[in-house]
PDB file of all heavy atoms in Angstrom:
ATOM      1  N   GLY A   3      14.311 182.005 134.390  1.00 93.00           N
ATOM      2  CA  GLY A   3      13.590 182.556 135.530  1.00 93.00           C
ATOM      3  C   GLY A   3      12.509 181.588 135.972  1.00 93.00           C
ATOM      4  O   GLY A   3      11.970 180.833 135.160  1.00 93.00           O
ATOM      5  N   ILE A   4      12.205 181.584 137.262  1.00 95.00           N
ATOM      6  CA  ILE A   4      11.219 180.675 137.837  1.00 95.00           C
ATOM      7  C   ILE A   4      10.223 181.482 138.662  1.00 95.00           C
ATOM      8  O   ILE A   4      10.605 182.413 139.382  1.00 95.00           O
ATOM      9  CB  ILE A   4      11.901 179.615 138.725  1.00 95.00           C
ATOM     10  CG1 ILE A   4      12.796 178.707 137.866  1.00 95.00           C
ATOM     11  CG2 ILE A   4      10.876 178.775 139.482  1.00 95.00           C
ATOM     12  CD1 ILE A   4      13.714 177.821 138.669  1.00 95.00           C
ATOM     13  N   LEU A   5       8.952 181.125 138.538  1.00 95.00           N
ATOM     14  CA  LEU A   5       7.898 181.804 139.297  1.00 95.00           C
ATOM     15  C   LEU A   5       6.970 180.756 139.885  1.00 95.00           C
ATOM     16  O   LEU A   5       6.430 179.919 139.158  1.00 95.00           O
ATOM     17  CB  LEU A   5       7.106 182.751 138.384  1.00 95.00           C
ATOM     18  CG  LEU A   5       5.941 183.495 139.035  1.00 95.00           C
ATOM     19  CD1 LEU A   5       6.456 184.444 140.117  1.00 95.00           C
ATOM     20  CD2 LEU A   5       5.132 184.258 137.991  1.00 95.00           C
ATOM     21  N   THR A   6       6.783 180.790 141.210  1.00 95.00           N
ATOM     22  CA  THR A   6       5.833 179.889 141.874  1.00 95.00           C
ATOM     23  C   THR A   6       4.712 180.731 142.480  1.00 95.00           C
ATOM     24  O   THR A   6       4.969 181.767 143.098  1.00 95.00           O
ATOM     25  CB  THR A   6       6.512 179.054 142.970  1.00 95.00           C
ATOM     26  OG1 THR A   6       7.131 179.931 143.911  1.00 95.00           O
ATOM     27  CG2 THR A   6       7.562 178.148 142.383  1.00 95.00           C
ATOM     28  N   GLU A   7       3.488 180.253 142.307  1.00 96.00           N
ATOM     29  CA  GLU A   7       2.324 180.971 142.823  1.00 96.00           C
ATOM     30  C   GLU A   7       1.353 179.961 143.427  1.00 96.00           C
ATOM     31  O   GLU A   7       1.064 178.936 142.808  1.00 96.00           O
ATOM     32  CB  GLU A   7       1.629 181.746 141.705  1.00 96.00           C
ATOM     33  CG  GLU A   7       2.518 182.814 141.068  1.00 96.00           C
ATOM     34  CD  GLU A   7       1.826 183.541 139.940  1.00 96.00           C
ATOM     35  OE1 GLU A   7       1.691 182.940 138.853  1.00 96.00           O
ATOM     36  OE2 GLU A   7       1.420 184.695 140.146  1.00 96.00           O
ATOM     37  N   LEU A   8       0.849 180.267 144.626  1.00 94.00           N
ATOM     38  CA  LEU A   8      -0.092 179.332 145.244  1.00 94.00           C
ATOM     39  C   LEU A   8      -1.382 180.037 145.610  1.00 94.00           C
ATOM     40  O   LEU A   8      -1.424 181.247 145.811  1.00 94.00           O
ATOM     41  CB  LEU A   8       0.531 178.624 146.448  1.00 94.00           C
ATOM     42  CG  LEU A   8       1.003 179.430 147.667  1.00 94.00           C
ATOM     43  CD1 LEU A   8      -0.157 179.736 148.601  1.00 94.00           C
ATOM     44  CD2 LEU A   8       2.053 178.635 148.427  1.00 94.00           C
ATOM     45  N   ALA A   9      -2.442 179.246 145.683  1.00 95.00           N
ATOM     46  CA  ALA A   9      -3.750 179.723 146.111  1.00 95.00           C
ATOM     47  C   ALA A   9      -4.224 178.850 147.260  1.00 95.00           C
ATOM     48  O   ALA A   9      -3.982 177.635 147.272  1.00 95.00           O
ATOM     49  CB  ALA A   9      -4.748 179.665 144.952  1.00 95.00           C
ATOM     50  N   LEU A  10      -4.903 179.469 148.236  1.00 94.00           N
ATOM     51  CA  LEU A  10      -5.319 178.758 149.444  1.00 94.00           C
ATOM     52  C   LEU A  10      -6.823 178.525 149.457  1.00 94.00           C
ATOM     53  O   LEU A  10      -7.594 179.307 148.905  1.00 94.00           O
ATOM     54  CB  LEU A  10      -4.918 179.550 150.692  1.00 94.00           C
ATOM     55  CG  LEU A  10      -3.434 179.890 150.856  1.00 94.00           C
ATOM     56  CD1 LEU A  10      -3.220 180.654 152.147  1.00 94.00           C
ATOM     57  CD2 LEU A  10      -2.583 178.633 150.820  1.00 94.00           C
ATOM     58  N   GLU A  11      -7.223 177.432 150.112  1.00 91.00           N
ATOM     59  CA  GLU A  11      -8.633 177.181 150.354  1.00 91.00           C
ATOM     60  C   GLU A  11      -9.124 178.122 151.449  1.00 91.00           C
ATOM     61  O   GLU A  11      -8.463 178.295 152.476  1.00 91.00           O
ATOM     62  CB  GLU A  11      -8.853 175.733 150.790  1.00 91.00           C
ATOM     63  CG  GLU A  11      -8.511 174.704 149.725  1.00 91.00           C
ATOM     64  CD  GLU A  11      -8.647 173.282 150.240  1.00 91.00           C
ATOM     65  OE1 GLU A  11      -8.778 173.120 151.473  1.00 91.00           O
ATOM     66  OE2 GLU A  11      -8.634 172.351 149.415  1.00 91.00           O
ATOM     67  N   GLY A  12     -10.277 178.720 151.226  1.00 84.00           N
ATOM     68  CA  GLY A  12     -10.780 179.696 152.182  1.00 84.00           C
ATOM     69  C   GLY A  12     -11.121 179.098 153.535  1.00 84.00           C
ATOM     70  O   GLY A  12     -10.862 179.709 154.581  1.00 84.00           O
ATOM     71  N   GLU A  13     -11.676 177.899 153.554  1.00 85.00           N
ATOM     72  CA  GLU A  13     -12.140 177.323 154.809  1.00 85.00           C
ATOM     73  C   GLU A  13     -11.018 176.682 155.621  1.00 85.00           C
ATOM     74  O   GLU A  13     -10.928 176.863 156.837  1.00 85.00           O
ATOM     75  CB  GLU A  13     -13.227 176.280 154.531  1.00 85.00           C
ATOM     76  CG  GLU A  13     -14.517 176.872 153.975  1.00 85.00           C
ATOM     77  CD  GLU A  13     -15.605 175.827 153.827  1.00 85.00           C
ATOM     78  OE1 GLU A  13     -15.359 174.662 154.198  1.00 85.00           O
ATOM     79  OE2 GLU A  13     -16.693 176.174 153.335  1.00 85.00           O
ATOM     80  N   THR A  14     -10.149 175.929 154.954  1.00 91.00           N
ATOM     81  CA  THR A  14      -9.128 175.166 155.686  1.00 91.00           C
ATOM     82  C   THR A  14      -7.788 175.892 155.797  1.00 91.00           C
ATOM     83  O   THR A  14      -6.990 175.574 156.673  1.00 91.00           O
ATOM     84  CB  THR A  14      -8.880 173.812 154.996  1.00 91.00           C
ATOM     85  OG1 THR A  14      -8.294 174.047 153.701  1.00 91.00           O
ATOM     86  CG2 THR A  14     -10.187 173.045 154.820  1.00 91.00           C
ATOM     87  N   GLY A  15      -7.544 176.834 154.898  1.00 91.00           N
ATOM     88  CA  GLY A  15      -6.237 177.487 154.876  1.00 91.00           C
ATOM     89  C   GLY A  15      -5.157 176.645 154.242  1.00 91.00           C
ATOM     90  O   GLY A  15      -3.983 177.041 154.198  1.00 91.00           O
ATOM     91  N   LEU A  16      -5.523 175.459 153.738  1.00 94.00           N
ATOM     92  CA  LEU A  16      -4.567 174.601 153.053  1.00 94.00           C
ATOM     93  C   LEU A  16      -4.410 175.045 151.595  1.00 94.00           C
ATOM     94  O   LEU A  16      -5.213 175.814 151.068  1.00 94.00           O
ATOM     95  CB  LEU A  16      -5.023 173.137 153.119  1.00 94.00           C
ATOM     96  CG  LEU A  16      -5.112 172.527 154.515  1.00 94.00           C
ATOM     97  CD1 LEU A  16      -5.609 171.099 154.425  1.00 94.00           C
ATOM     98  CD2 LEU A  16      -3.770 172.595 155.234  1.00 94.00           C
ATOM     99  N   THR A  17      -3.381 174.526 150.948  1.00 96.00           N
ATOM    100  CA  THR A  17      -3.100 174.924 149.572  1.00 96.00           C
ATOM    101  C   THR A  17      -4.108 174.310 148.616  1.00 96.00           C
ATOM    102  O   THR A  17      -4.287 173.094 148.582  1.00 96.00           O
ATOM    103  CB  THR A  17      -1.680 174.483 149.176  1.00 96.00           C
ATOM    104  OG1 THR A  17      -0.744 175.044 150.098  1.00 96.00           O
ATOM    105  CG2 THR A  17      -1.345 174.963 147.771  1.00 96.00           C
ATOM    106  N   GLU A  18      -4.756 175.160 147.850  1.00 96.00           N
ATOM    107  CA  GLU A  18      -5.675 174.713 146.814  1.00 96.00           C
ATOM    108  C   GLU A  18      -4.929 174.363 145.542  1.00 96.00           C
ATOM    109  O   GLU A  18      -5.221 173.378 144.874  1.00 96.00           O
ATOM    110  CB  GLU A  18      -6.703 175.815 146.527  1.00 96.00           C
ATOM    111  CG  GLU A  18      -7.576 175.604 145.304  1.00 96.00           C
ATOM    112  CD  GLU A  18      -8.523 174.423 145.443  1.00 96.00           C
ATOM    113  OE1 GLU A  18      -8.831 174.052 146.599  1.00 96.00           O
ATOM    114  OE2 GLU A  18      -8.939 173.864 144.424  1.00 96.00           O
ATOM    115  N   SER A  19      -3.941 175.195 145.196  1.00 97.00           N
ATOM    116  CA  SER A  19      -3.160 174.934 143.989  1.00 97.00           C
ATOM    117  C   SER A  19      -1.797 175.586 144.107  1.00 97.00           C
ATOM    118  O   SER A  19      -1.627 176.608 144.782  1.00 97.00           O
ATOM    119  CB  SER A  19      -3.873 175.460 142.735  1.00 97.00           C
ATOM    120  OG  SER A  19      -3.971 176.879 142.771  1.00 97.00           O
ATOM    121  N   LEU A  20      -0.820 174.972 143.469  1.00 98.00           N
ATOM    122  CA  LEU A  20       0.533 175.509 143.377  1.00 98.00           C
ATOM    123  C   LEU A  20       0.936 175.448 141.910  1.00 98.00           C
ATOM    124  O   LEU A  20       0.954 174.367 141.314  1.00 98.00           O
ATOM    125  CB  LEU A  20       1.513 174.688 144.219  1.00 98.00           C
ATOM    126  CG  LEU A  20       3.000 175.042 144.085  1.00 98.00           C
ATOM    127  CD1 LEU A  20       3.276 176.437 144.630  1.00 98.00           C
ATOM    128  CD2 LEU A  20       3.867 174.013 144.795  1.00 98.00           C
ATOM    129  N   VAL A  21       1.215 176.596 141.323  1.00 98.00           N
ATOM    130  CA  VAL A  21       1.635 176.663 139.922  1.00 98.00           C
ATOM    131  C   VAL A  21       3.117 177.027 139.886  1.00 98.00           C
ATOM    132  O   VAL A  21       3.529 178.054 140.440  1.00 98.00           O
ATOM    133  CB  VAL A  21       0.812 177.697 139.130  1.00 98.00           C
ATOM    134  CG1 VAL A  21       1.346 177.813 137.697  1.00 98.00           C
ATOM    135  CG2 VAL A  21      -0.660 177.306 139.111  1.00 98.00           C
ATOM    136  N   ILE A  22       3.901 176.164 139.266  1.00 97.00           N
ATOM    137  CA  ILE A  22       5.344 176.404 139.117  1.00 97.00           C
ATOM    138  C   ILE A  22       5.636 176.635 137.645  1.00 97.00           C
ATOM    139  O   ILE A  22       5.327 175.787 136.801  1.00 97.00           O
ATOM    140  CB  ILE A  22       6.167 175.210 139.629  1.00 97.00           C
ATOM    141  CG1 ILE A  22       5.850 174.928 141.099  1.00 97.00           C
ATOM    142  CG2 ILE A  22       7.661 175.477 139.457  1.00 97.00           C
ATOM    143  CD1 ILE A  22       6.603 173.742 141.669  1.00 97.00           C
ATOM    144  N   GLY A  23       6.210 177.791 137.340  1.00 97.00           N
ATOM    145  CA  GLY A  23       6.528 178.122 135.953  1.00 97.00           C
ATOM    146  C   GLY A  23       8.001 178.422 135.770  1.00 97.00           C
ATOM    147  O   GLY A  23       8.673 178.876 136.697  1.00 97.00           O
ATOM    148  N   ALA A  24       8.495 178.152 134.574  1.00 97.00           N
ATOM    149  CA  ALA A  24       9.898 178.440 134.263  1.00 97.00           C
ATOM    150  C   ALA A  24      10.023 178.793 132.792  1.00 97.00           C
ATOM    151  O   ALA A  24       9.318 178.238 131.942  1.00 97.00           O
ATOM    152  CB  ALA A  24      10.786 177.233 134.586  1.00 97.00           C
ATOM    153  N   GLY A  25      10.908 179.714 132.510  1.00 96.00           N
ATOM    154  CA  GLY A  25      11.227 180.062 131.135  1.00 96.00           C
ATOM    155  C   GLY A  25      12.722 179.940 130.922  1.00 96.00           C
ATOM    156  O   GLY A  25      13.511 180.602 131.614  1.00 96.00           O
ATOM    157  N   VAL A  26      13.130 179.074 129.997  1.00 97.00           N
ATOM    158  CA  VAL A  26      14.543 178.850 129.712  1.00 97.00           C
ATOM    159  C   VAL A  26      14.871 179.438 128.346  1.00 97.00           C
ATOM    160  O   VAL A  26      14.188 179.151 127.355  1.00 97.00           O
ATOM    161  CB  VAL A  26      14.895 177.348 129.730  1.00 97.00           C
ATOM    162  CG1 VAL A  26      16.374 177.148 129.397  1.00 97.00           C
ATOM    163  CG2 VAL A  26      14.584 176.736 131.086  1.00 97.00           C
ATOM    164  N   ASN A  27      15.922 180.235 128.292  1.00 97.00           N
ATOM    165  CA  ASN A  27      16.389 180.786 127.015  1.00 97.00           C
ATOM    166  C   ASN A  27      17.166 179.700 126.272  1.00 97.00           C
ATOM    167  O   ASN A  27      18.188 179.225 126.766  1.00 97.00           O
ATOM    168  CB  ASN A  27      17.288 181.996 127.258  1.00 97.00           C
ATOM    169  CG  ASN A  27      16.582 183.109 128.006  1.00 97.00           C
ATOM    170  OD1 ASN A  27      15.387 183.314 127.831  1.00 97.00           O
ATOM    171  ND2 ASN A  27      17.316 183.827 128.842  1.00 97.00           N
ATOM    172  N   VAL A  28      16.679 179.332 125.102  1.00 98.00           N
ATOM    173  CA  VAL A  28      17.286 178.222 124.368  1.00 98.00           C
ATOM    174  C   VAL A  28      18.124 178.699 123.196  1.00 98.00           C
ATOM    175  O   VAL A  28      19.296 178.348 123.076  1.00 98.00           O
ATOM    176  CB  VAL A  28      16.203 177.237 123.883  1.00 98.00           C
ATOM    177  CG1 VAL A  28      16.824 176.152 123.001  1.00 98.00           C
ATOM    178  CG2 VAL A  28      15.499 176.596 125.074  1.00 98.00           C
ATOM    179  N   SER A  29      17.543 179.486 122.297  1.00 96.00           N
ATOM    180  CA  SER A  29      18.294 179.854 121.085  1.00 96.00           C
ATOM    181  C   SER A  29      18.343 181.358 120.834  1.00 96.00           C
ATOM    182  O   SER A  29      18.655 181.795 119.730  1.00 96.00           O
ATOM    183  CB  SER A  29      17.677 179.156 119.861  1.00 96.00           C
ATOM    184  OG  SER A  29      16.331 179.547 119.687  1.00 96.00           O
ATOM    185  N   GLN A  30      18.059 182.164 121.847  1.00 95.00           N
ATOM    186  CA  GLN A  30      18.118 183.606 121.672  1.00 95.00           C
ATOM    187  C   GLN A  30      19.534 184.082 121.333  1.00 95.00           C
ATOM    188  O   GLN A  30      20.524 183.527 121.813  1.00 95.00           O
ATOM    189  CB  GLN A  30      17.636 184.338 122.929  1.00 95.00           C
ATOM    190  CG  GLN A  30      16.149 184.300 123.173  1.00 95.00           C
ATOM    191  CD  GLN A  30      15.717 183.150 124.039  1.00 95.00           C
ATOM    192  OE1 GLN A  30      16.390 182.122 124.099  1.00 95.00           O
ATOM    193  NE2 GLN A  30      14.601 183.297 124.736  1.00 95.00           N
ATOM    194  N   THR A  31      19.595 185.128 120.539  1.00 93.00           N
ATOM    195  CA  THR A  31      20.843 185.839 120.261  1.00 93.00           C
ATOM    196  C   THR A  31      20.799 187.162 121.020  1.00 93.00           C
ATOM    197  O   THR A  31      19.741 187.567 121.512  1.00 93.00           O
ATOM    198  CB  THR A  31      20.977 186.110 118.761  1.00 93.00           C
ATOM    199  OG1 THR A  31      19.935 187.019 118.356  1.00 93.00           O
ATOM    200  CG2 THR A  31      20.862 184.820 117.949  1.00 93.00           C
ATOM    201  N   PRO A  32      21.907 187.878 121.113  1.00 92.00           N
ATOM    202  CA  PRO A  32      21.873 189.187 121.771  1.00 92.00           C
ATOM    203  C   PRO A  32      20.832 190.117 121.154  1.00 92.00           C
ATOM    204  O   PRO A  32      20.210 190.926 121.858  1.00 92.00           O
ATOM    205  CB  PRO A  32      23.300 189.711 121.574  1.00 92.00           C
ATOM    206  CG  PRO A  32      24.133 188.470 121.516  1.00 92.00           C
ATOM    207  CD  PRO A  32      23.295 187.466 120.782  1.00 92.00           C
ATOM    208  N   GLU A  33      20.619 189.989 119.845  1.00 91.00           N
ATOM    209  CA  GLU A  33      19.633 190.843 119.168  1.00 91.00           C
ATOM    210  C   GLU A  33      18.219 190.536 119.646  1.00 91.00           C
ATOM    211  O   GLU A  33      17.362 191.431 119.707  1.00 91.00           O
ATOM    212  CB  GLU A  33      19.734 190.660 117.654  1.00 91.00           C
ATOM    213  CG  GLU A  33      20.997 191.215 117.022  1.00 91.00           C
ATOM    214  CD  GLU A  33      22.241 190.408 117.349  1.00 91.00           C
ATOM    215  OE1 GLU A  33      22.111 189.181 117.580  1.00 91.00           O
ATOM    216  OE2 GLU A  33      23.344 190.999 117.398  1.00 91.00           O
ATOM    217  N   ASP A  34      17.943 189.265 119.984  1.00 90.00           N
ATOM    218  CA  ASP A  34      16.621 188.902 120.487  1.00 90.00           C
ATOM    219  C   ASP A  34      16.348 189.531 121.846  1.00 90.00           C
ATOM    220  O   ASP A  34      15.205 189.871 122.171  1.00 90.00           O
ATOM    221  CB  ASP A  34      16.492 187.381 120.608  1.00 90.00           C
ATOM    222  CG  ASP A  34      16.497 186.675 119.268  1.00 90.00           C
ATOM    223  OD1 ASP A  34      15.794 187.141 118.359  1.00 90.00           O
ATOM    224  OD2 ASP A  34      17.211 185.660 119.132  1.00 90.00           O
ATOM    225  N   PHE A  35      17.390 189.699 122.656  1.00 87.00           N
ATOM    226  CA  PHE A  35      17.212 190.260 123.989  1.00 87.00           C
ATOM    227  C   PHE A  35      17.098 191.778 123.968  1.00 87.00           C
ATOM    228  O   PHE A  35      16.434 192.369 124.816  1.00 87.00           O
ATOM    229  CB  PHE A  35      18.397 189.886 124.887  1.00 87.00           C
ATOM    230  CG  PHE A  35      18.459 188.428 125.256  1.00 87.00           C
ATOM    231  CD1 PHE A  35      19.583 187.672 124.976  1.00 87.00           C
ATOM    232  CD2 PHE A  35      17.400 187.810 125.901  1.00 87.00           C
ATOM    233  CE1 PHE A  35      19.650 186.337 125.326  1.00 87.00           C
ATOM    234  CE2 PHE A  35      17.454 186.470 126.253  1.00 87.00           C
ATOM    235  CZ  PHE A  35      18.592 185.730 125.965  1.00 87.00           C
ATOM    236  N   GLY A  36      17.772 192.432 123.023  1.00 82.00           N
ATOM    237  CA  GLY A  36      17.872 193.880 123.069  1.00 82.00           C
ATOM    238  C   GLY A  36      19.091 194.281 123.879  1.00 82.00           C
ATOM    239  O   GLY A  36      19.594 193.505 124.690  1.00 82.00           O
ATOM    240  N   PRO A  37      19.587 195.508 123.677  1.00 84.00           N
ATOM    241  CA  PRO A  37      20.867 195.911 124.284  1.00 84.00           C
ATOM    242  C   PRO A  37      20.898 195.853 125.798  1.00 84.00           C
ATOM    243  O   PRO A  37      21.906 195.455 126.391  1.00 84.00           O
ATOM    244  CB  PRO A  37      21.071 197.348 123.762  1.00 84.00           C
ATOM    245  CG  PRO A  37      19.711 197.792 123.304  1.00 84.00           C
ATOM    246  CD  PRO A  37      19.003 196.571 122.843  1.00 84.00           C
ATOM    247  N   GLU A  38      19.829 196.241 126.477  1.00 82.00           N
ATOM    248  CA  GLU A  38      19.855 196.275 127.938  1.00 82.00           C
ATOM    249  C   GLU A  38      19.831 194.862 128.524  1.00 82.00           C
ATOM    250  O   GLU A  38      20.619 194.534 129.416  1.00 82.00           O
ATOM    251  CB  GLU A  38      18.669 197.085 128.469  1.00 82.00           C
ATOM    252  CG  GLU A  38      18.774 198.577 128.175  1.00 82.00           C
ATOM    253  CD  GLU A  38      17.663 199.355 128.847  1.00 82.00           C
ATOM    254  OE1 GLU A  38      16.872 198.750 129.605  1.00 82.00           O
ATOM    255  OE2 GLU A  38      17.581 200.576 128.614  1.00 82.00           O
ATOM    256  N   VAL A  39      18.930 194.026 128.031  1.00 86.00           N
ATOM    257  CA  VAL A  39      18.809 192.671 128.563  1.00 86.00           C
ATOM    258  C   VAL A  39      19.996 191.807 128.148  1.00 86.00           C
ATOM    259  O   VAL A  39      20.452 190.948 128.912  1.00 86.00           O
ATOM    260  CB  VAL A  39      17.481 192.027 128.112  1.00 86.00           C
ATOM    261  CG1 VAL A  39      17.368 190.590 128.607  1.00 86.00           C
ATOM    262  CG2 VAL A  39      16.303 192.850 128.619  1.00 86.00           C
ATOM    263  N   ALA A  40      20.530 192.044 126.939  1.00 87.00           N
ATOM    264  CA  ALA A  40      21.648 191.234 126.447  1.00 87.00           C
ATOM    265  C   ALA A  40      22.863 191.323 127.351  1.00 87.00           C
ATOM    266  O   ALA A  40      23.677 190.389 127.402  1.00 87.00           O
ATOM    267  CB  ALA A  40      22.012 191.665 125.030  1.00 87.00           C
ATOM    268  N   ALA A  41      22.992 192.402 128.089  1.00 90.00           N
ATOM    269  CA  ALA A  41      24.141 192.567 128.982  1.00 90.00           C
ATOM    270  C   ALA A  41      24.079 191.620 130.175  1.00 90.00           C
ATOM    271  O   ALA A  41      25.108 191.317 130.786  1.00 90.00           O
ATOM    272  CB  ALA A  41      24.211 194.014 129.470  1.00 90.00           C
ATOM    273  N   ILE A  42      22.876 191.129 130.512  1.00 92.00           N
ATOM    274  CA  ILE A  42      22.743 190.289 131.703  1.00 92.00           C
ATOM    275  C   ILE A  42      22.145 188.916 131.411  1.00 92.00           C
ATOM    276  O   ILE A  42      22.064 188.079 132.311  1.00 92.00           O
ATOM    277  CB  ILE A  42      21.879 190.983 132.782  1.00 92.00           C
ATOM    278  CG1 ILE A  42      20.451 191.181 132.279  1.00 92.00           C
ATOM    279  CG2 ILE A  42      22.508 192.305 133.203  1.00 92.00           C
ATOM    280  CD1 ILE A  42      19.493 191.669 133.359  1.00 92.00           C
ATOM    281  N   ALA A  43      21.713 188.662 130.166  1.00 94.00           N
ATOM    282  CA  ALA A  43      21.032 187.402 129.848  1.00 94.00           C
ATOM    283  C   ALA A  43      21.789 186.639 128.767  1.00 94.00           C
ATOM    284  O   ALA A  43      22.560 187.215 127.984  1.00 94.00           O
ATOM    285  CB  ALA A  43      19.603 187.665 129.389  1.00 94.00           C
ATOM    286  N   THR A  44      21.557 185.333 128.722  1.00 96.00           N
ATOM    287  CA  THR A  44      22.163 184.499 127.692  1.00 96.00           C
ATOM    288  C   THR A  44      21.214 183.359 127.357  1.00 96.00           C
ATOM    289  O   THR A  44      20.139 183.235 127.946  1.00 96.00           O
ATOM    290  CB  THR A  44      23.526 183.945 128.171  1.00 96.00           C
ATOM    291  OG1 THR A  44      24.206 183.352 127.069  1.00 96.00           O
ATOM    292  CG2 THR A  44      23.357 182.906 129.277  1.00 96.00           C
ATOM    293  N   SER A  45      21.592 182.533 126.394  1.00 97.00           N
ATOM    294  CA  SER A  45      20.814 181.362 126.019  1.00 97.00           C
ATOM    295  C   SER A  45      21.739 180.166 125.920  1.00 97.00           C
ATOM    296  O   SER A  45      22.968 180.310 125.832  1.00 97.00           O
ATOM    297  CB  SER A  45      20.104 181.595 124.687  1.00 97.00           C
ATOM    298  OG  SER A  45      21.045 181.650 123.619  1.00 97.00           O
ATOM    299  N   LEU A  46      21.158 178.975 125.894  1.00 98.00           N
ATOM    300  CA  LEU A  46      21.968 177.767 125.761  1.00 98.00           C
ATOM    301  C   LEU A  46      22.757 177.778 124.460  1.00 98.00           C
ATOM    302  O   LEU A  46      23.961 177.466 124.442  1.00 98.00           O
ATOM    303  CB  LEU A  46      21.074 176.535 125.827  1.00 98.00           C
ATOM    304  CG  LEU A  46      20.515 176.197 127.210  1.00 98.00           C
ATOM    305  CD1 LEU A  46      19.437 175.121 127.109  1.00 98.00           C
ATOM    306  CD2 LEU A  46      21.627 175.750 128.150  1.00 98.00           C
ATOM    307  N   ALA A  47      22.115 178.150 123.357  1.00 97.00           N
ATOM    308  CA  ALA A  47      22.811 178.177 122.067  1.00 97.00           C
ATOM    309  C   ALA A  47      23.937 179.198 122.068  1.00 97.00           C
ATOM    310  O   ALA A  47      25.017 178.956 121.520  1.00 97.00           O
ATOM    311  CB  ALA A  47      21.821 178.478 120.944  1.00 97.00           C
ATOM    312  N   GLN A  48      23.691 180.333 122.695  1.00 96.00           N
ATOM    313  CA  GLN A  48      24.701 181.391 122.751  1.00 96.00           C
ATOM    314  C   GLN A  48      25.952 180.931 123.500  1.00 96.00           C
ATOM    315  O   GLN A  48      27.070 181.362 123.194  1.00 96.00           O
ATOM    316  CB  GLN A  48      24.101 182.617 123.446  1.00 96.00           C
ATOM    317  CG  GLN A  48      24.856 183.916 123.194  1.00 96.00           C
ATOM    318  CD  GLN A  48      24.098 185.106 123.759  1.00 96.00           C
ATOM    319  OE1 GLN A  48      22.871 185.174 123.673  1.00 96.00           O
ATOM    320  NE2 GLN A  48      24.823 186.044 124.339  1.00 96.00           N
TER     321      GLN A  48
END
């Protein structure tokens, strides 16, 4: 999943900051996700 969030400068309206985040599933097993999430999620190791 990826999440981008930005904040603006009050005076100019230009971007003060842009934060880009990502979470990659690397070694999770179905048990790590739980039954509901395991139906729609996976990991690289899996």
